[in-house]
Coordinates of all heavy atoms in Angstrom, one line a residue:
L1 N 39.9 24.5 56.9 CA 39.0 25.4 56.1 C 38.5 26.5 56.9 O 38.3 27.6 56.5 CB 37.8 24.6 55.5 CG 38.2 23.5 54.4 CD1 37.0 22.7 54.1 CD2 38.9 24.1 53.3
L2 N 38.2 26.3 58.2 CA 37.7 27.4 59.1 C 38.7 28.5 59.2 O 38.4 29.6 59.4 CB 37.4 26.8 60.5 CG 36.1 26.2 60.7 CD1 36.0 25.6 62.2 CD2 34.9 27.2 60.6
Q3 N 40.0 28.2 59.1 CA 41.0 29.2 59.2 C 41.4 30.0 57.9 O 42.0 31.0 57.9 CB 42.4 28.6 59.7 CG 42.3 27.6 60.8 CD 41.5 28.1 62.0 OE1 41.8 29.2 62.5 NE2 40.6 27.3 62.4
Q4 N 40.7 29.6 56.8 CA 40.9 30.2 55.5 C 39.9 31.3 55.2 O 38.8 31.3 55.8 CB 40.8 29.1 54.4 CG 41.9 27.9 54.6 CD 43.3 28.4 55.0 OE1 43.8 29.1 54.2 NE2 43.8 27.9 56.0
P5 N 40.1 32.2 54.3 CA 39.1 33.2 53.9 C 37.9 32.5 53.5 O 37.9 31.5 52.7 CB 39.8 33.9 52.7 CG 41.3 33.7 52.9 CD 41.4 32.4 53.6
G6 N 36.7 33.0 54.0 CA 35.4 32.3 53.6 C 35.0 31.2 54.4 O 33.9 30.7 54.4
G7 N 36.0 30.7 55.3 CA 35.6 29.5 56.1 C 34.5 29.7 57.1 O 33.5 28.9 57.1
R8 N 34.5 30.8 57.8 CA 33.5 31.1 58.8 C 32.2 31.4 58.1 O 31.0 31.0 58.4 CB 33.9 32.3 59.6 CG 34.9 31.9 60.7 CD 34.5 31.1 61.8 NE 35.5 30.5 62.6 CZ 35.4 29.6 63.6 NH1 34.1 29.2 63.8 NH2 36.3 29.2 64.3
G9 N 32.3 32.1 56.9 CA 31.1 32.5 56.2 C 30.3 31.3 55.7 O 29.1 31.3 55.4
A10 N 31.0 30.2 55.4 CA 30.5 29.0 54.8 C 29.5 28.3 55.8 O 28.7 27.5 55.4 CB 31.6 28.0 54.3
L11 N 29.8 28.6 57.0 CA 28.9 27.9 58.0 C 27.4 28.2 58.0 O 26.6 27.4 58.4 CB 29.4 28.2 59.5 CG 30.9 27.8 59.8 CD1 31.3 28.1 61.2 CD2 31.1 26.2 59.5
S12 N 27.0 29.4 57.4 CA 25.7 29.8 57.4 C 25.0 29.6 56.1 O 23.9 29.9 55.9 CB 25.5 31.2 57.8 OG 26.4 32.1 57.0
I13 N 25.8 29.0 55.2 CA 25.2 28.8 53.8 C 24.4 27.5 53.7 O 25.0 26.4 54.1 CB 26.4 28.8 52.7 CG1 26.9 30.3 52.7 CG2 25.8 28.4 51.4 CD1 28.0 30.5 51.6
H14 N 23.2 27.5 53.2 CA 22.4 26.4 53.0 C 22.6 25.8 51.7 O 22.9 26.5 50.6 CB 20.9 26.7 53.1 CG 20.4 27.2 54.5 ND1 20.7 28.6 54.8 CD2 19.8 26.6 55.4 CE1 20.2 28.7 56.0 NE2 19.7 27.5 56.4
N15 N 22.6 24.3 51.6 CA 22.7 23.8 50.2 C 21.3 23.6 49.7 O 20.3 24.1 50.3 CB 23.5 22.5 50.3 CG 22.8 21.4 51.2 OD1 21.7 21.6 51.6 ND2 23.5 20.4 51.5
N16 N 21.2 22.9 48.6 CA 19.8 22.7 48.0 C 18.8 22.0 48.8 O 17.6 22.0 48.6 CB 20.0 22.1 46.6 CG 20.6 23.0 45.6 OD1 20.4 24.2 45.6 ND2 21.3 22.5 44.7
E17 N 19.3 21.2 49.8 CA 18.4 20.5 50.7 C 18.1 21.4 52.0 O 17.4 20.9 52.9 CB 19.0 19.2 51.1 CG 18.9 18.0 50.1 CD 20.1 18.2 49.2 OE1 21.3 18.6 49.6 OE2 19.8 18.0 47.9
G18 N 18.6 22.6 52.0 CA 18.5 23.4 53.2 C 19.3 23.2 54.4 O 19.0 23.7 55.5
A19 N 20.4 22.4 54.2 CA 21.3 22.1 55.3 C 22.5 23.0 55.3 O 23.1 23.3 54.2 CB 21.8 20.6 55.1
T20 N 22.9 23.5 56.4 CA 24.2 24.2 56.6 C 25.2 23.3 57.1 O 24.8 22.1 57.6 CB 24.0 25.3 57.6 OG1 23.8 24.8 58.9 CG2 22.9 26.3 57.3
P21 N 26.4 23.5 57.0 CA 27.5 22.6 57.6 C 27.2 22.3 59.1 O 27.4 21.2 59.5 CB 28.8 23.4 57.4 CG 28.5 24.1 56.2 CD 27.1 24.5 56.3
V22 N 26.7 23.3 59.8 CA 26.4 23.1 61.3 C 25.3 22.1 61.4 O 25.3 21.2 62.3 CB 26.1 24.4 62.0 CG1 25.7 24.2 63.4 CG2 27.2 25.4 61.9
S23 N 24.2 22.3 60.7 CA 23.0 21.3 60.8 C 23.4 20.0 60.3 O 22.9 19.0 60.9 CB 21.8 21.9 60.1 OG 22.0 21.9 58.7
L24 N 24.3 19.9 59.3 CA 24.7 18.5 58.8 C 25.4 17.8 60.0 O 25.2 16.6 60.2 CB 25.6 18.7 57.7 CG 25.1 18.6 56.3 CD1 26.2 18.8 55.2 CD2 24.4 17.3 56.1
A25 N 26.3 18.5 60.7 CA 27.1 17.9 61.8 C 26.2 17.4 62.9 O 26.3 16.3 63.4 CB 28.1 18.9 62.4
L26 N 25.1 18.2 63.2 CA 24.2 17.9 64.2 C 23.3 16.6 63.8 O 23.2 15.7 64.5 CB 23.3 19.1 64.5 CG 22.5 19.0 65.8 CD1 23.4 18.9 67.0 CD2 21.6 20.3 65.9
E27 N 22.9 16.7 62.5 CA 22.0 15.6 62.0 C 22.8 14.3 62.0 O 22.2 13.2 62.2 CB 21.7 16.1 60.6 CG 20.9 15.0 59.8 CD 20.8 15.4 58.3 OE1 20.7 16.5 58.0 OE2 21.0 14.4 57.5
R28 N 24.1 14.4 61.7 CA 24.8 13.1 61.6 C 25.4 12.6 62.9 O 26.0 11.5 63.0 CB 25.9 13.2 60.6 CG 25.4 13.7 59.3 CD 25.9 13.0 58.1 NE 25.2 13.2 56.9 CZ 25.5 12.6 55.8 NH1 26.5 11.9 55.6 NH2 24.7 12.8 54.7
G29 N 25.2 13.4 64.0 CA 25.7 13.0 65.3 C 27.1 13.1 65.5 O 27.7 12.5 66.3
Y30 N 27.8 14.0 64.7 CA 29.2 14.4 64.8 C 29.4 15.4 65.9 O 29.5 16.5 65.6 CB 29.8 14.9 63.5 CG 29.8 13.9 62.4 CD1 29.6 14.4 61.0 CD2 30.0 12.5 62.6 CE1 29.6 13.5 60.0 CE2 29.9 11.7 61.4 CZ 29.7 12.1 60.1 OH 29.7 11.2 59.1
Q31 N 29.4 14.9 67.1 CA 29.4 15.8 68.3 C 30.7 16.6 68.3 O 30.6 17.9 68.5 CB 29.3 15.0 69.6 CG 29.1 15.8 70.8 CD 29.0 15.0 72.1 OE1 29.0 13.9 72.0 NE2 28.9 15.7 73.2
K32 N 31.9 16.0 68.1 CA 33.1 16.9 68.1 C 33.1 17.9 67.0 O 33.6 19.0 67.2 CB 34.3 15.9 68.0 CG 34.6 15.1 69.3 CD 35.9 14.3 69.0 CE 36.3 13.5 70.3 NZ 37.6 12.7 70.0
L33 N 32.7 17.5 65.9 CA 32.6 18.4 64.7 C 31.6 19.5 65.0 O 32.0 20.7 64.7 CB 32.2 17.6 63.5 CG 32.5 18.2 62.1 CD1 33.9 18.7 62.0 CD2 32.2 17.2 61.0
H34 N 30.5 19.2 65.6 CA 29.5 20.3 65.9 C 30.1 21.3 66.9 O 30.0 22.5 66.8 CB 28.3 19.6 66.5 CG 27.1 20.7 66.6 ND1 26.9 21.2 67.9 CD2 26.3 21.2 65.8 CE1 25.9 22.1 67.7 NE2 25.4 22.1 66.4

């Protein structure tokens, strides 16, 4: 998804709980993903 149009832009978008994909990875302890 990162390689597709809009992939990088999606990283800074918050969902209704205020989480971005980056903060979700950190919160869940997905180190490689982060």
Side-chain angles (χ1 to χ4, degrees):
L1 294 175
L2 278 174
Q3 315 310 310
Q4 306 309 308
R8 291 284 169 189
L11 298 182
S12 57
I13 292 180
H14 296 77
N15 63 11
N16 289 327
E17 286 82 39
T20 65
V22 177
S23 69
L24 263 179
L26 197 61
E27 173 195 319
R28 306 230 161 175
Y30 296 147
Q31 189 177 355
K32 284 184 180 178
L33 199 46
H34 188 260

